[in-house]
Amino acid sequence: MQKLPILTFANQAGLDMLETTLVALQDIKLEKTLDDHGRKILCSELPQIMQQGFVCLQGGICLSSMGRPVSYERSVAWKVLNDEETAHCICFIFINWSFV
């Protein structure tokens, strides 16, 4: 069984976009924040993120923890390595986001 990804950290802009707090962030499921299109794109690009180290993704819609739609112009995902040079996590940045 594959472990589901968890959200572990966000800066204030990320917390604002997701309408949550740092403490409540881990209760938000990644698959609940991305729409179907966003989930499909992320799954298809995951091998490139793991091999190349990053990927630029097209804009889309995600949902805040309150269920409000958030549009973003573009996003970037990149792999973060630990001290052993293995994948520790994947980070995201959402560019020009706003509530719809």
Side-chain angles (χ1 to χ4, degrees), residues 24-37:
L25 185 64
Q26 290 187 26
D27 296 333
I28 298 173
K29 304 290 184 227
L30 181 61
E31 64 273 8
K32 297 275 187 185
T33 61
L34 297 174
D35 64 1
D36 192 46
H37 180 70

Side-chain angles (χ1 to χ4, degrees), residues 1 14 18 31 38 54 60 79 94 97:
M1 183 175 191
L18 294 171
E31 64 273 8
F54 73 97
K79 175 176 62 173
F94 294 90
W97 67 269

